Amino acid sequence: MTNTASSKRIFNLVLGGVMVAMATVLGFIKLYDAPYGGSITVCSMLPILFFGYRCGLKWGLGAGFVNSVLQLLLGMSALKGVSAGVLVGSIFLDYLIAFTVLGLAGMFRGKIKNDALAFTLGSLVAMLLRYLCSFLSGWLLWVDVVEDAGYMQEVIGAYIPALSGLTGNTLAIVYSLVYNGVYMIPEIILTCVVGFLLVQFAGNQILDKKDQ
């Protein structure tokens, strides 16, 4: 039993490293870059989501945290020149928490019989939590950095014209929802579709069902 547990631990460590590396590489393949940070990538969250589902919440959160640190190191240039408060808040909301929660993708495994559905729902919740982090960051931190109500109204007007006349705190809230939604929502949908199809048609290989 000890050897088996040790072998499984080593396997999970190696697989986790591979998934983090894959997520990092996919993060460089961008379909869209938002002007104040954020992008639509080619399913860069999927490797961490798969790992979290296959290996469990503890391992998933660990891999998510390692991925978050790498993303922080790669994105440090975007934090130059900001205040200490924005810097600390952004480190947690835009990176450490936002990417770590992706490890929660396995929350419905064993609770929902169909793996493809369980994985997709868990991934959806995990990615919506990342979206929540980005929304809170945009509303509480970065909206003061933008300091351009006209630009915020322009962004909102491009997607929800009826709300383009908003001002004050309401403008900041809606702007953050829209701005972060522009890149997060398409990627969430793409990742859910691709993830569902992969688990549905290649679940035995991806999840190594013979060992379950």
Side-chain angles (χ1 to χ4, degrees):
M1 289 296 293
T2 303
N3 289 336
T4 301
S6 179
S7 297
K8 185 175 182 180
R9 191 179 303 111
I10 292 172
F11 175 83
N12 286 350
L13 285 171
V14 173
L15 180 61
V18 171
M19 292 296 100
V20 169
M22 188 179 297
T24 303
V25 171
L26 290 175
F28 287 111
I29 307 175
K30 300 179 180 180
L31 305 177
Y32 168 75
D33 247 330
Y36 286 96
S39 59
I40 301 175
T41 67
V42 183
C43 298
S44 64
M45 294 182 282
L46 199 53
I48 304 301
L49 296 171
F50 273 142
F51 181 74
Y53 189 84
R54 171 171 172 151
C55 298
L57 297 181
K58 181 180 73 173
W59 285 98
L61 290 171
F65 179 73
V66 172
N67 185 42
S68 76
V69 173
L70 283 175
Q71 294 300 321
L72 173 61
L73 293 175
L74 292 170
M76 284 300 290
S77 60
L79 301 178
K80 290 180 179 178
V82 300
S83 67
V86 172
L87 175 63
V88 173
S90 184
I91 286 174
F92 281 95
L93 286 175
D94 288 318
Y95 295 98
L96 298 185
I97 299 176
F99 286 93
T100 297
V101 296
L102 297 179
L104 296 171
M107 66 178 72
F108 295 120
R109 185 167 189 178
K111 299 175 183 177
I112 297 177
K113 197 169 184 180
N114 184 289
D115 276 310
L117 181 58
F119 170 76
T120 304
L121 287 177
S123 296
L124 177 61
V125 172
M127 289 186 288
L128 286 176
L129 286 173
R130 182 189 163 188
Y131 178 30
L132 175 62
C133 289
S134 296
F135 158 69
L136 291 174
S137 175
W139 171 35
L140 300 174
L141 304 174
W142 290 102
V143 87
D144 291 331
V145 175
V146 175
E147 290 182 344
D148 186 346
Y151 172 76
M152 289 190 281
Q153 290 170 334
E154 183 181 327
V155 170
I156 294 173
Y159 297 94
I160 315 177
L163 299 180
S164 60
L166 295 175
T167 58
N169 191 52
T170 304
L171 172 62
I173 291 173
V174 176
Y175 165 75
S176 185
L177 282 172
V178 172
Y179 178 87
N180 289 293
V182 166
Y183 66 89
M184 280 297 302
I185 291 177
E187 180 147 7
I188 288 173
I189 294 172
L190 176 62
T191 303
C192 282
V193 171
V194 173
F196 177 86
L197 293 175
L198 285 174
V199 176
Q200 182 70 20
F201 296 105
N204 289 340
Q205 292 73 33
I206 293 173
L207 303 177
D208 196 20
K209 294 292 287 184
K210 65 180 182 296
D211 290 337
Q212 303 304 316

